[in-house]
Structure formats: structure tokens, C-alpha cells
Amino acid sequence: MKKKITQITLLSAGLLFSSVSLAAMSPITKCNDCSDKDAVATAKAQNDDSVYVVDFVNRTAKKFVTDAQGTTLLSKISVGELNRINQQFDYRKVNLRAVKP
């Protein structure tokens, strides 16, 4: 009995923290079958320091970071970030891959 309560508590905590981490992520915007220029323009339109641009046609995910001078650059996506993005769009049955800068 005690083991079940511990398992339920750990499962509940895991679900709570996973939903919190999704809420704390940078904005995700879609740009299907767009060029690199279009992806940068889409990221700039979000007016945020860090933006994820996903392309379901080409099955890619890109992370753009805007520096202090206002330059938007392609940045590396960590494995955890990519997993969270894929979890968020799990209903599409598509696994996105990260584009390396």
C-alpha cells in the first residue's frame, strides 16, 4: 500500500513539473515549408528574446535568439527542448529534428 502511494505521488509530481516546464518555454510558432529568410522573419515577428520555429512539412525545429543589438541568430536546440516541442505536438504523429546552426 505504501509503495502505491509513493508511486502515485511521484507520478503526480512528474506530471506537474512537465506541464510547468512546457508553460515556461519560449513561444513556438509555425512556419511550414518556409525558407530560412521566412523563418527568421517569423521569429522576429514574435518580439521575444528566444523563439522556436517549427516546420511540419520538412519536420524541423529551429531556435532563434535575439541579442542586445537586435540581431536574430539561429541557435542550438538542446535535446530536452526538442523533446518538449515534440511532446507538445504529439497529436500530429510527427517527430521534429533540430536544425544545427
Side-chain angles (χ1 to χ4, degrees):
M1 182 72 174
K2 201 175 217 183
K3 187 176 182 181
K4 281 190 176 189
I5 293 173
T6 304
Q7 289 175 342
I8 291 171
T9 304
L10 289 174
L11 179 63
S12 299
L15 290 174
L16 176 68
F17 288 126
S18 66
S19 61
V20 168
S21 65
L22 278 176
M25 274 186 70
S26 298
I28 300 173
T29 186
K30 299 172 194 168
C31 184
N32 289 321
D33 202 25
C34 61
S35 66
D36 291 336
K37 278 185 176 180
D38 293 337
V40 171
T42 302
K44 284 184 179 181
Q46 290 294 317
N47 293 327
D48 206 330
D49 292 341
S50 177
V51 176
Y52 299 98
V53 178
V54 294
D55 181 350
F56 292 106
V57 173
N58 297 317
R59 297 181 178 191
T60 59
K62 299 176 184 177
K63 180 180 178 181
F64 290 96
V65 177
T66 305
D67 62 8
Q69 289 80 23
T71 306
T72 303
L73 301 170
L74 183 64
S75 180
K76 183 177 179 182
I77 297 179
S78 71
V79 174
E81 291 169 327
L82 186 61
N83 284 338
R84 281 185 242 133
I85 292 170
N86 280 322
Q87 286 174 355
Q88 186 170 352
F89 295 106
D90 187 38
Y91 63 93
R92 288 182 173 260
K93 307 289 186 221
V94 173
N95 282 325
L96 302 172
R97 62 180 172 76
V99 175
K100 296 181 181 179

